[in-house]
Amino acid sequence: MFELPPLLLALAFILVGLAAWFLGRRNGAARTVRLPRDYYVGLDHLINDRFDHAAEIFARMAEAEGDAAEIQFALGSLFRRRGEVERAIAIHSRLRDQGDAGLRDKAAFALALDYQSAGLMDRAERVLEELAASREYRRTALDQLVGIYEAQGDWAKALKVFHELPAAVQLERGRVAAHYLCELAEHALVQGDNERARTLLRQARTHQPQLPRADILTARIAEQAGDAGGALLLYLSALETSPGLALEIIPAVLLVARQMHRPDMLNELGRRLRQSGHLSPRQLAWLLATAVPAEEVSQLPGIAAQLGSGIKTAAEASTLSALLTHIGDAGGRYQCEECGLNSVGWYWRCPKCRCWDSMRPAVFKWAERADHAVRAS
């Protein structure tokens, strides 16, 4: 059998490789889609936030290319981002009314976003309700509706839309639905309808069995009914489940304890919080120093001795309590774990990032920093 010399064999491999590369490049070039230069210029303007120039180029392209739908969508989104919502509404309305069936839902959703940007929530709501009947945009439309109702504080409508979401999503967002029901329960309490409030709180627990907010509201109802013992147990249950609520719960617990002639309650609170395992000794001591009334601060050294947190005298405890309270009133007693917002008052839902159950006492982080400083020294 004839054999090629090694040198010729190597050269043949090189030639075959070069031929394959050349043919691949040629075929790839044939498949390349060449976009008009204006596309790239417009994109450059967008990337560099030169919206006026980008809008002008895209508008000219849309006119030259026979009102191409995709260019119109890009132009409408650009106008919305620039704050020229009326122009965006005009574009997306025309696409919804005159476009083919495949574009109408897309245009309707873009139009709903336009209305939201313009603050026309009633119009956005109507469009989204129509889209909720579509297959492709149903989930997205429902999410947008929930956002609108949450922003408006219309918890009944938000809850109704929640029940239209897929079962898996409902399971995932059960805690949010429980908060909707608690919001409705608080409204019922303001109106004096305690029975309706109880019913709503029972429904809330079906979504989230361990729900400190429901315990706190039920405790208030028990207090109004004269059941101090029941209220105390509910407050303590909420505190053990969520120590981050201590600044809101401890004053209520101590008030009920005084009615029941329980002078040992502060020690009991320290014991329960310590057993929860969520807090360091310094965090717990500083939390109590921030939460307890001035007349009961003198008890802190005894509790602190059990914790090993270093508070030795009543004067030291009083000074620490005053200092922590002053810092909290000046810079915020609470901080959102999601967005970092500082707040003097408590919110179940962060006013900035809209996350539920994200507020924590700022004293937790202050104590952590103190612990780190002690370990580093």
Side-chain angles (χ1 to χ4, degrees), residues 105-119:
D105 285 350
K106 182 178 179 180
F109 183 71
L111 185 60
L113 297 181
D114 296 338
Y115 287 144
Q116 284 183 262
S117 296

Side-chain angles (χ1 to χ4, degrees), residues 37 57 86 93 165-166 205 220 226 267 281 284 317 343 356 372:
R37 180 177 177 275
I57 287 176
E86 290 184 3
S93 295
L165 292 168
R205 288 191 175 93
R220 290 181 191 170
N267 281 294
L284 179 48
S343 171
W356 295 95
H372 290 320

Side-chain angles (χ1 to χ4, degrees), residues 32-114:
T32 300
V33 177
R34 295 188 178 276
L35 296 175
R37 180 177 177 275
D38 281 346
Y39 273 106
Y40 300 107
V41 176
L43 182 60
D44 180 67
H45 287 319
L46 282 177
I47 292 172
N48 292 285
D49 292 335
R50 296 189 292 266
F51 298 125
D52 289 334
H53 297 299
E56 180 182 346
I57 287 176
F58 282 130
R60 185 171 66 245
M61 289 177 63
E63 184 176 346
E65 298 188 18
D67 204 29
E70 290 306 321
I71 298 177
Q72 288 295 298
F73 277 118
L75 192 59
S77 298
L78 180 58
F79 284 141
R80 186 196 310 130
R81 185 175 175 184
R82 290 181 61 199
E84 297 183 48
V85 186
E86 290 184 3
R87 298 178 74 178
I89 290 173
I91 290 173
H92 293 136
S93 295
R94 185 172 66 252
L95 285 169
R96 185 183 64 166
D97 296 338
Q98 300 176 5
D100 58 43
L103 291 177
R104 285 173 194 161
D105 285 350
K106 182 178 179 180
F109 183 71
L111 185 60
L113 297 181
D114 296 338

Side-chain angles (χ1 to χ4, degrees), residues 53-313:
H53 297 299
E56 180 182 346
I57 287 176
F58 282 130
R60 185 171 66 245
M61 289 177 63
E63 184 176 346
E65 298 188 18
D67 204 29
E70 290 306 321
I71 298 177
Q72 288 295 298
F73 277 118
L75 192 59
S77 298
L78 180 58
F79 284 141
R80 186 196 310 130
R81 185 175 175 184
R82 290 181 61 199
E84 297 183 48
V85 186
E86 290 184 3
R87 298 178 74 178
I89 290 173
I91 290 173
H92 293 136
S93 295
R94 185 172 66 252
L95 285 169
R96 185 183 64 166
D97 296 338
Q98 300 176 5
D100 58 43
L103 291 177
R104 285 173 194 161
D105 285 350
K106 182 178 179 180
F109 183 71
L111 185 60
L113 297 181
D114 296 338
Y115 287 144
Q116 284 183 262
S117 296
L120 303 172
M121 296 304 176
D122 55 338
R123 296 187 186 182
E125 182 181 347
R126 285 196 297 270
V127 175
L128 291 169
E129 285 175 347
E130 294 173 5
L131 278 175
S134 73
R135 183 175 181 179
E136 183 178 356
Y137 283 88
R138 175 175 172 77
R139 169 69 187 281
T140 309
L142 291 175
D143 284 338
Q144 289 291 326
L145 280 171
V146 166
I148 290 175
Y149 296 142
E150 284 186 347
Q152 294 174 341
D154 195 335
W155 308 112
K157 284 187 176 181
L159 188 64
K160 180 182 176 183
V161 174
F162 168 83
H163 288 298
E164 295 181 32
L165 292 168
V169 179
Q170 290 187 38
L171 186 62
E172 179 186 339
R173 300 184 187 178
R175 193 173 191 85
V176 174
H179 274 295
Y180 294 163
L181 288 157
C182 287
E183 292 282 350
L184 294 170
E186 290 209 44
H187 184 65
L189 286 176
V190 170
Q191 294 180 323
D193 192 347
N194 288 2
E195 190 56 40
R196 172 167 168 73
R198 287 192 188 94
T199 300
L200 291 166
L201 293 172
R202 283 195 295 269
Q203 293 175 9
R205 288 191 175 93
T206 64
H207 292 284
Q208 191 74 28
Q210 283 195 324
L211 189 64
R213 185 178 186 182
D215 287 339
I216 293 171
L217 293 174
T218 308
R220 290 181 191 170
I221 296 172
E223 278 190 88
Q224 292 179 10
D227 182 7
L232 184 60
L233 290 175
L234 287 163
Y235 280 134
L236 292 175
S237 173
L239 185 62
E240 288 177 323
T241 303
S242 184
L245 296 171
L247 299 183
E248 303 301 306
I249 294 176
I250 288 177
V253 167
L254 295 177
L255 183 61
V256 174
R258 281 196 291 271
Q259 296 173 1
M260 298 176 64
H261 306 290
R262 292 279 305 273
D264 63 329
M265 185 48 63
L266 194 55
N267 281 294
E268 175 71 8
L269 285 171
R271 182 183 67 79
R272 285 176 178 262
L273 286 169
R274 186 170 63 251
Q275 288 179 345
S276 72
H278 297 302
L279 306 175
S280 70
R282 190 184 301 273
Q283 283 178 320
L284 179 48
W286 286 22
L287 184 66
L288 292 174
T290 308
V292 301
E295 61 270 18
E296 302 199 38
V297 170
S298 58
Q299 299 183 45
L300 286 181
I303 300 173
Q306 301 174 25
L307 299 173
S309 61
I311 301 176
K312 297 180 180 179
T313 66

